[in-house]
Structures are given as structure tokens and as C-alpha cells.
Amino acid sequence: MPHPRAAALIAAVGLAGCLSGSGPEKPTVAGELRRPLPKDGSVLYTIGISTDPYGNSRPNGFGVARGITDEKLNKVELRRSEFGWFGGAEWLDRGQILAHRSAPPLRPPVIFRFASGRLTRSHLAPFVSGTTYRWSPDRELLALEPPAACKRGQASLFSCYRGSGRIYVARRDGSAKHLVAKGTAPSWTPDGRLAFYRTWRELTRGRAVILDYTSGRQTFRDRYWAYEEPLVSADGRYLAARRQGKVVVTNSDGRLVREFPTPYLVSMVAWAPRGHRLAYTTSGFPDPHELFIVDPETWERTRIFVSGAPHFDWITWSPDGQSLLLDGDEAGGWRVFSAQIGDQIRLLPRLGGRPLWCCPVNDYDALVGRSN
């Protein structure tokens, strides 16, 4: 996942639609398995206060857990002060993990190989930790905003993670890097144009510059925030976007399919890695918190979990698209749900924040090469 940047929260206002499904779940004993599921791969998580969405101050690092839907849960962790801050860790493919390093000094993230339950250091990424980076939709180009310079021993770490205000584009292997604009928070539109903001003030206002990278033509868009831009389903048929007080689903050509209103903030929207089953979470003020699954055939939504005190917002799909892992706070733990029937399958102790079920459909070796 790209290095996170602060984004303005938008208060959601609207009428709630009719909800189907269950209310609060029945208590489940931690580790209890109600019914078996297929082998699920591995879950990557980050340990550390700055990458933990619930602010638990624990040693920095990351870990990989296996057996999420099996009887026995196994984990391997790397706890080291240089890892676990701000950038966290992310899967690059089934056997590789990119781990950002804290600053100062500014250093490239480290690529680790994960195999046979072990983590081994492999090579370095072609950019430094603290860089805002986004792949183009065709995965051929990389948009980069490096951080401002920082030095070891300086009084503040702010400049280590503050954007430099310069946007570069490089090939997928990091080569041919060149300056294309002065601005911040680069991203890509679904049709492959570069989007950025000339200043932080324009970012807060949502006034974006849209650059056609092939022709050099620039246009401006108001009320544009990258985190609200549509996400494409795995089969490419649909787009889903967060809007004020609702989730909007359209066809690939932009025609409206369905809107799902909510009186709360839409926290996270996620397509299954296969087909176009959709899940999303909402957060109240300060509660309740809800998890919905949308049926891919009827477009009817079902609320499969709701909670008051335990906070949650982060969800991740299993590689086969059959299960969902919900990341709750310490009291709530990790909850595994069946995407087919909506039942909670298992409750696990919370090992860390930002869990990512392996793996995204991309190959790091093919994208950035192995030259480092």
C-alpha cells in the first residue's frame, strides 16, 4: 500500500437505507472455529503506534500470521525500531514484503522474502521511505513525491515525512525518473491521467490538477479527493466510490448501478479479489461501527456486523474471496466472516494493525526489477 497522507474527513449526512441482516453478533470464544474454510494464505500486519489505527504503543515492526481460518494460529514477527513507523509494511507478491523504515536518515524500504514461515532480508526498494508513490492503472508508470530532506540528529522529524512539493514520474522499474510538476499528493485517475495539487491549501479545498501525461494537457477539477476516486472491481465491470453519506456503484462506463446511503462516515470500501462482491465499513460519531456485504447478483446489501464500543474500520479479503477479516480494537480482536452467508467464523486475538490478507495481484519483481 502507498505511504499514507493526511486526508480531510468528510462528515456524512443522509438517510439510512433499509438494512437487512443480523444485529450485534453472538459472543465467540477466541480461537473457536465454527466451520472449516479453504486454506487462506497469510496475513501481514504492522506493529507500532504510528501504524496502529487504535494508538497502541508497542514495539515497532511487523509480522505474518498463518492459519487464520485453521485451528492453529502461527505467527512470525520482526520487531526492530527501524520498522513499523508511518509507512508500515505491505505485500508485494506472495513471497515478498516491503517494509518502510523510520527516519532520519531517509532510507529505502527493505524487501523481505517470506517462505516456509521465515522472513529473510532480500533487497532495497528504488525510493526512500516517506515517499508518496502511486502506480498508474496499467502498472507501467510510477508517480512519486519524495519527502523533504532530513538529517540525523535534527530536532524534529517533520521534514522527514513532509512532502518535498516536487512530483516525478518514473518507469515501473524506477528508471527514467524525471520532474513533471511542482505540487503534492500525486495519484492517478482511472483512465491513466496524473492528478495532483499545486499546494496543500488547494489539497484541502479539493482543487486538483489533472495532467494528461501523453499530451501534456492540464485541466482543473474542483472537489476532487483521491481517496474518493472510484475503485475498479476485480473483473473490471464496476466502480465503487465513497461519497458524502453513501457508497456509489457504477458500471465501467459511469452509469449508475446502485447507491447505498448511510448516516455515518464511510470508512473503507473493498472489492473481493475475484468477481465483484463488495464490502464496506461505516463509523458513527463515535459509534456505531458497521460492516456490510453487497450481493454481486442482486446488489442488495446485508449488515453482517455492528458494534458500539469496540472500534473497527479496516477490512481485508481472503485470496479466494470467500472470507473477510475485520480489524477491531484490543477488546474486539480480529473477526473472520464468511462472505457467502455473513456469519462470523472465528474470533482471534489482535496481533497488530492494518492486516493484509496475502496477496495483491501484482508481482514486485516485474514492476520494479531486482537491480538493488
Side-chain angles (χ1 to χ4, degrees), residues 190-219:
D191 61 0
R193 291 178 294 167
L194 182 66
F196 62 93
Y197 305 88
R198 292 181 298 183
T199 65
W200 274 98
R201 185 175 183 179
E202 293 195 357
L203 169 60
T204 60
R205 293 179 174 180
R207 181 168 174 75
V209 179
I210 310 297
L211 172 64
D212 187 322
Y213 189 70
T214 57
S215 68
R217 181 186 177 188
Q218 290 188 4
T219 57

Side-chain angles (χ1 to χ4, degrees), residues 25 28 30 54 56 305 307 309-311 327-335 347-350:
E25 90 296 352
T28 306
Y54 311 108
N56 296 314
F305 183 63
S307 173
H311 176 91
D327 179 25
D329 65 10
E330 284 288 354
W334 284 355
R335 298 176 185 273
L347 175 64
L348 298 166
R350 186 168 188 270

Side-chain angles (χ1 to χ4, degrees), residues 72 176 200 213 222 283 352:
K72 187 176 182 180
W200 274 98
Y213 189 70
D222 291 321
S283 296

Side-chain angles (χ1 to χ4, degrees), residues 48-66:
I49 184 171
S50 295
T51 52
D52 191 320
Y54 311 108
N56 296 314
S57 181
R58 291 184 283 182
N60 299 321
F62 63 94
V64 181
R66 295 185 296 173

Side-chain angles (χ1 to χ4, degrees), residues 69 73 90 105 121-122 134 155 161 178 198 252 261 285 302 372:
T69 60
L73 181 68
E90 61 183 282
R121 187 174 178 132
S122 178
R134 298 288 190 276
Y161 296 98
H178 60 286
R198 292 181 298 183
S252 57
F285 305 94
T302 301
N372 291 329

Side-chain angles (χ1 to χ4, degrees), residues 3 29 32 41 112 125 170 181 224 231 234 242 250 292 298 336 365 370:
H3 183 74
V29 177
E32 179 185 346
F112 287 87
Y224 177 98
L231 301 174
R242 295 186 294 178
T250 64
F292 294 90
T298 65
V336 183
D365 286 349
R370 296 288 305 283

Side-chain angles (χ1 to χ4, degrees), residues 11-298:
V13 180
L15 297 176
C18 295
L19 306 180
S20 61
S22 61
E25 90 296 352
K26 296 179 181 179
T28 306
V29 177
E32 179 185 346
L33 183 65
R34 290 184 177 176
R35 57 179 60 84
L37 287 177
K39 296 293 183 179
D40 58 357
S42 305
V43 171
L44 173 67
Y45 55 93
T46 303
I47 307 166
I49 184 171
S50 295
T51 52
D52 191 320
Y54 311 108
N56 296 314
S57 181
R58 291 184 283 182
N60 299 321
F62 63 94
V64 181
R66 295 185 296 173
I68 298 299
T69 60
D70 298 332
E71 288 286 356
K72 187 176 182 180
L73 181 68
N74 297 305
K75 65 177 181 178
V76 55
E77 294 183 343
L78 188 153
R79 293 175 179 259
R80 195 175 299 166
S81 60
E82 64 177 316
F83 300 111
W85 286 89
F86 298 110
E90 61 183 282
W91 288 112
L92 298 173
D93 60 27
R94 189 166 298 280
Q96 296 190 91
I97 295 168
L98 182 147
H100 291 273
R101 294 193 284 179
S102 58
L106 293 173
R107 298 169 290 179
V110 178
I111 312 301
F112 287 87
R113 290 197 177 278
F114 176 70
S116 303
R118 298 183 61 185
L119 287 166
T120 56
R121 187 174 178 132
S122 178
H123 57 287
L124 300 178
F127 50 82
V128 296
S129 291
T131 298
T132 298
Y133 59 102
R134 298 288 190 276
W135 297 107
S136 61
D138 61 6
R139 314 295 290 187
E140 292 295 325
L141 298 174
L142 188 61
L144 303 161
E145 182 192 1
C150 70
K151 299 178 181 179
R152 186 183 297 275
Q154 66 182 41
S156 172
L157 294 180
F158 176 72
S159 64
C160 296
Y161 296 98
R162 175 173 56 86
S164 62
R166 294 178 177 271
I167 297 174
Y168 298 82
V169 170
R171 294 173 182 167
R172 62 183 181 181
D173 62 356
S175 65
K177 174 183 170 182
H178 60 286
L179 180 69
V180 296
K182 292 184 178 181
T184 190
S187 61
W188 299 90
T189 63
D191 61 0
R193 291 178 294 167
L194 182 66
F196 62 93
Y197 305 88
R198 292 181 298 183
T199 65
W200 274 98
R201 185 175 183 179
E202 293 195 357
L203 169 60
T204 60
R205 293 179 174 180
R207 181 168 174 75
V209 179
I210 310 297
L211 172 64
D212 187 322
Y213 189 70
T214 57
S215 68
R217 181 186 177 188
Q218 290 188 4
T219 57
F220 294 89
R221 281 184 57 182
D222 291 321
R223 301 189 60 79
Y224 177 98
W225 287 276
Y227 71 94
E228 282 193 343
E229 285 306 288
L231 301 174
V232 183
S233 62
D235 57 15
R237 297 172 59 186
Y238 301 100
L239 301 170
R242 295 186 294 178
R243 294 291 183 261
Q244 279 194 334
K246 59 188 175 183
V247 175
V248 179
V249 178
T250 64
N251 288 315
S252 57
D253 61 5
R255 289 180 295 130
L256 180 66
V257 173
R258 188 66 63 89
E259 293 184 346
F260 302 101
T262 172
Y264 312 121
L265 286 173
V266 179
S267 301
M268 189 171 184
V269 176
W271 290 107
R274 300 181 181 181
H276 53 270
R277 187 180 296 273
L278 181 69
Y280 67 93
T281 57
T282 65
S283 296
F285 305 94
D287 56 55
H289 308 283
E290 301 172 308
L291 169 62
F292 294 90
I293 291 183
V294 178
D295 188 283
E297 303 302 327
T298 65

